Amino acid sequence: MNTNFITILLPESFEHCYVGQCSKKESCLHYLKGQETKPSDVPFIGYHPNKLNVGANCQEYVENRLIPHYMGFMKGAGQIPAKLVATFNRRCMQDLGMQKTRFYQLRKGEIPLTPYESEQIASLFAEMGVNPEEAFDEVVMRYDI
């Protein structure tokens, strides 16, 4: 994968790794990010080349895999029958254990839904008679970090 693409999608504070002997280095985001800069040019802490617990034992391993993150569900909320809107809102907040503020931020697409939240909300849409595939406003591909 193009490392320039990785740079764009990862936060600046994402740790770099310089462990060349690691068996998982080709699929680890920390290592791929570390290949973009020399250790001497890094302004923050990275993983030292002599780090213990590499490969299968590495606690910091993050797979180089993009997953879909759903943004907003105003489109689906507009398809819910008016008499069920209050029930849908209440169930979302109760089932996901969230405050009103977070619920409305998620609904408007101000913050992305976690994979778990999107699954739960999709199942609620299905219960309300809305096709879950048409309920979310936008899908953004991101790393699961």
Side-chain angles (χ1 to χ4, degrees), residues 3-142:
T3 55
N4 292 332
F5 189 64
I6 291 171
T7 299
I8 292 168
L9 294 177
L10 291 175
E12 283 187 39
S13 62
F14 195 75
E15 296 90 357
H16 296 194
C17 180
Y18 302 100
V19 182
Q21 75 272 19
C22 181
S23 62
K24 290 188 167 188
K25 68 182 182 185
E26 297 303 321
S27 65
C28 180
L29 286 177
H30 290 291
Y31 185 81
L32 295 173
K33 179 81 171 170
Q35 297 310 295
E36 298 174 359
T37 56
K38 295 180 287 188
S40 60
D41 294 340
V42 178
F44 49 85
I45 297 175
Y47 301 116
H48 192 272
N50 296 329
K51 177 184 175 299
L52 300 174
N53 296 329
V54 297
N57 297 323
C58 183
Q59 299 292 319
E60 288 83 22
Y61 175 76
V62 176
E63 186 178 5
N64 179 14
R65 180 175 59 103
L66 291 169
I67 62 169
H69 284 77
Y70 295 93
M71 300 288 292
F73 49 95
M74 294 293 291
K75 188 166 68 171
Q79 298 176 39
I80 296 173
K83 64 182 180 180
L84 297 176
V85 170
T87 302
F88 175 81
N89 293 349
R90 181 180 42 76
R91 286 272 315 274
C92 280
M93 287 182 265
Q94 283 179 343
D95 292 358
L96 295 169
M98 67 177 70
Q99 302 282 332
K100 273 187 182 181
T101 304
R102 179 163 172 79
F103 169 74
Y104 288 113
Q105 288 173 327
L106 290 171
R107 190 177 77 170
K108 290 188 280 186
E110 293 174 359
I111 53 176
L113 292 131
T114 65
Y116 175 76
E117 290 169 337
S118 59
E119 287 174 21
Q120 295 302 310
I121 290 172
S123 68
L124 281 173
F125 274 123
E127 284 181 34
M128 302 288 168
V130 175
N131 182 354
E133 294 177 15
E134 299 173 2
F136 298 102
D137 301 338
E138 182 182 2
V139 178
V140 178
M141 298 304 285
R142 293 187 177 182

